[in-house]
Amino acid sequence: PVVEEAEERGRLETSRHEHSGFETLAGARSSTSGGPADGAAALRAAERDPGNLSDEHALTLMTAEGDLLDQVVRLADDLRRETVGDEVTYVVNRNINFTNVCYVGCRFCAFAQRRSDADAYSLSLDQVADRAQEAWDLGATEVCMQGGIDPELPGTAYFDLAAAVKQRVPDLHVHAFSPMEIVNGATRTGLSFEDFLIKARESGLDTIPGTAAEILDDDVRWILTKGKLPTATWVEVVSTAHRVGLRSSSTMMYGHVDNPRHWVQHLRVISRIQDETGGFTEFVPLPFVHTSSPIYLAGVARPGPTLRDNLAVHALARIMLHGRIDHIQTSWVKLGVDGTRAMLRAGADDLGGTLMEETISRMAGSTHGSAKTVAELTDIAAGVDRTVRERTTTYGVPAGR
């Protein structure tokens, strides 16, 4: 243990030295000559064929500033309008974090508790069903269920959770279980990913959240999570889910120990999966909330992305995923009203959910609240002269009650 601790300290010191901000924008640009002509050429390439940018052009636009960034944002907004029109969509949903007991030890997470901690909790199946029923009665069409990786939670608990919701509220969409939870459940039950996912679907699971993606680069993942869920495993779980009829969202958490090259390559991985499976419903950029995050408090991560970073990531997601994923969601939980409006002008078209109960971002230090009413979401969109429309989890029209 002493040797392991010393090695771990050395690894963190190395990461702090090498990645202080992990890499500056200037450093990220160093693989190109970075001049205005390069920016103009990259922009022209994006206008001609946005979904097939070269890595060099994508990186040039991902690191854009000033007038070039303004043009990138404008192009993303035009592509958004061309693809999905001017309506801003949202889903009426509730988050149910059924336990916060977790022993994974991700360094960015302020949500997890040990079982002996004063704030640790685990909901019973009846409590989960009660919350689902309450959400339905308040107009929700979806519950999003995720929880910590509790070593005392049997793998079959995931089947039981989905079934408990469906038995109580048969028409409520169950959007649940991150790839990390699916790996945990499959390991504990001894089932393959495919068999576990089929069993979960038969128990009532409708779609899965494409969370636990963070940055799909194993060097970054080691620093964030000690490599608990390698990129290849995340890709395998999500691709398998798509193959067995479970669609998913896709996400990227950025602004910690990563850099623009990682963002470009992450979008490449998402693109490749979508080309193979067509299973992603949307892409959700998730800005790192640093305030209470252990990796930030240890001095390893930077304090989240800048406004420039947020604009570039949302805009390049729209550009690079054009023709593959129609919907780019922006997180009001992490960005607040003004930040969300800026992203709606930079290629985003969806506000995510009303949530009713959001815990993970709030524990990390987000100050933007844990729920939004439909009226509040309508007001966000009205601030950029857009109207809103309620959607289902898979972007259909909700059935009348």
Side-chain angles (χ1 to χ4, degrees):
V2 174
V3 173
E4 287 179 3
E5 286 178 15
E7 289 177 348
E8 187 63 18
R9 279 198 301 274
R11 191 186 295 273
L12 285 174
E13 284 302 321
T14 300
S15 79
R16 188 188 327 226
H17 173 71
E18 290 179 351
H19 309 306
S20 62
F22 219 59
E23 191 171 328
T24 63
L25 283 180
R29 289 195 196 95
S30 63
S31 66
T32 72
S33 57
D38 291 330
L43 192 65
R44 284 196 302 272
E47 290 167 345
R48 281 195 309 269
D49 192 2
N52 291 296
L53 277 180
S54 68
D55 284 353
E56 182 179 1
H57 283 154
L59 184 61
T60 296
L61 299 183
M62 189 68 88
T63 55
E65 297 182 272
D67 183 58
L68 180 59
L69 178 61
D70 291 343
Q71 292 180 75
V72 170
V73 164
R74 197 152 45 240
L75 172 59
D77 198 42
D78 289 343
L79 289 171
R80 182 269 308 159
R81 188 176 298 108
E82 171 191 317
T83 302
V84 294
D86 284 329
E87 283 185 322
V88 175
T89 49
Y90 67 91
V91 63
V92 180
N93 68 348
R94 180 175 195 165
N95 268 16
I96 302 177
N97 300 125
F98 50 85
T99 182
N100 65 350
V101 176
C102 188
Y103 286 78
V104 173
C106 296
R107 295 193 180 102
F108 57 84
C109 180
F111 170 75
Q113 303 286 308
R114 298 295 185 256
R115 180 164 294 284
S116 57
D117 290 345
D119 293 331
Y121 72 85
S122 293
L123 302 179
S124 68
L125 292 177
D126 280 342
Q127 287 173 315
V128 168
D130 287 346
R131 293 185 185 202
Q133 179 73 63
E134 184 180 35
W136 177 259
D137 292 343
L138 290 168
T141 60
E142 169 196 297
V143 286
C144 179
M145 293 196 296
Q146 296 181 92
I149 306 299
D150 177 0
E152 294 184 19
L153 190 75
T156 53
Y158 299 108
F159 309 143
D160 297 339
L161 284 160
V165 172
K166 285 295 189 182
Q167 285 165 10
R168 183 74 66 84
V169 196
D171 293 329
L172 192 60
H173 186 106
V174 176
H175 180 65
F177 313 137
S178 73
M180 185 76 202
E181 291 173 281
I182 291 162
V183 169
N184 180 55
T187 301
R188 290 184 175 280
T189 56
L191 296 172
S192 67
F193 294 154
E194 181 173 352
D195 288 343
F196 179 87
L197 286 161
I198 289 170
K199 176 75 171 171
R201 188 193 67 204
E202 291 170 346
S203 301
L205 182 63
D206 293 302
T207 54
I208 68 170
T211 47
E214 281 75 71
I215 295 289
L216 294 172
D217 176 280
D218 284 335
D219 289 341
V220 176
R221 297 178 78 77
W222 177 263
I223 299 169
L224 292 177
T225 68
K226 302 181 184 178
K228 290 294 194 303
L229 181 66
T231 297
T233 306
W234 189 93
V235 171
E236 183 182 358
V237 169
V238 169
S239 299
T240 303
H242 294 175
R243 282 199 302 275
V244 302
L246 293 166
R247 299 190 71 188
S248 77
S249 57
S250 55
T251 65
M252 179 176 79
M253 186 185 74
Y254 63 98
H256 34 78
V257 296
D258 49 353
N259 68 51
R261 281 198 190 90
H262 295 121
W263 308 340
V264 169
Q265 291 309 315
H266 184 104
L267 288 167
R268 288 271 186 256
V269 175
I270 297 298
S271 295
R272 283 198 295 272
I273 297 171
Q274 188 71 341
D275 287 345
E276 291 171 7
T277 71
F280 288 130
T281 51
E282 74 244 80
F283 179 74
V284 192
L286 298 170
F288 172 58
V289 179
H290 70 284
T291 315
S292 302
S293 180
I295 196 169
Y296 171 73
L297 296 175
V300 177
R302 61 189 185 279
T306 63
L307 174 60
R308 190 225 71 85
D309 295 341
N310 290 329
L311 290 169
V313 166
H314 284 73
L316 262 294
R318 170 62 68 186
I319 291 167
M320 292 179 66
L321 297 173
H322 182 67
R324 294 184 174 94
I325 298 176
D326 288 345
H327 302 288
I328 307 297
Q329 185 182 120
T330 183
S331 174
W332 58 260
V333 174
K334 298 177 186 296
L335 288 163
V337 171
D338 290 342
T340 299
R341 285 173 175 162
M343 300 312 120
L344 288 174
R345 293 190 183 101
D349 69 295
D350 184 74
L351 292 172
T354 55
L355 295 182
M356 297 188 192
E357 177 184 7
E358 197 288 327
T359 308
I360 294 172
S361 293
R362 181 159 46 84
M363 292 299 292
S366 173
T367 58
H368 300 305
S370 58
K372 289 282 187 213
T373 63
V374 172
E376 287 172 319
L377 296 181
T378 301
D379 181 66
I380 290 174
V384 290
D385 298 321
R386 307 255 286 278
T387 57
V388 297
R389 176 178 63 80
E390 184 183 353
R391 63 165 172 88
T392 63
T393 307
T394 54
Y395 289 80
V397 177
R401 293 291 179 86

